Amino acid sequence: ADAFSAEELGQKLKELGIKAPGSGNDLTDPFPFNLMFQTQIGPSGTSPGFLRPETAQSIFVNFKRLLDYNRDRMPFAAAQIGLAF
């Protein structure tokens, strides 16, 4: 698939009659998207940073514990330092 542009890949999918496996519906045309999780970094929070989704998920899994720790008051801040898998 890397050898094709988005337009060429979309045409190839239509040409081969490839449908969605679960529903049999037509596929939408391919479009570029970013799987990286954007966040702000630095002391001022103005620099964009990008995290891989699997390394950024643990901070959201622990949300209930963070909320309890903050006595159920919003808003609060949470930071993740170092690698997390």
Side-chain angles (χ1 to χ4, degrees):
D2 288 339
F4 296 105
S5 68
E7 293 81 21
E8 292 170 329
L9 184 59
Q11 183 168 349
K12 190 58 98 173
L13 291 172
K14 289 176 185 165
E15 178 184 311
L16 296 173
I18 297 176
K19 305 278 185 183
S23 64
N25 292 335
D26 290 333
L27 298 175
T28 59
D29 290 329
F31 59 92
F33 61 95
N34 190 353
L35 292 176
M36 301 295 274
F37 180 79
Q38 184 174 358
T39 186
Q40 285 72 39
I41 59 174
S44 63
T46 57
S47 299
F50 295 90
L51 303 171
R52 293 189 345 223
E54 66 271 17
T55 61
Q57 70 185 356
S58 64
I59 202 164
F60 298 108
V61 171
N62 293 325
F63 180 81
K64 175 69 171 122
R65 188 169 58 148
L66 293 170
L67 185 62
D68 291 343
Y69 183 77
N70 199 48
R71 300 179 185 159
D72 293 328
R73 290 180 295 163
M74 293 278 287
F76 62 87
Q80 180 173 315
I81 299 172
L83 297 175
F85 295 96

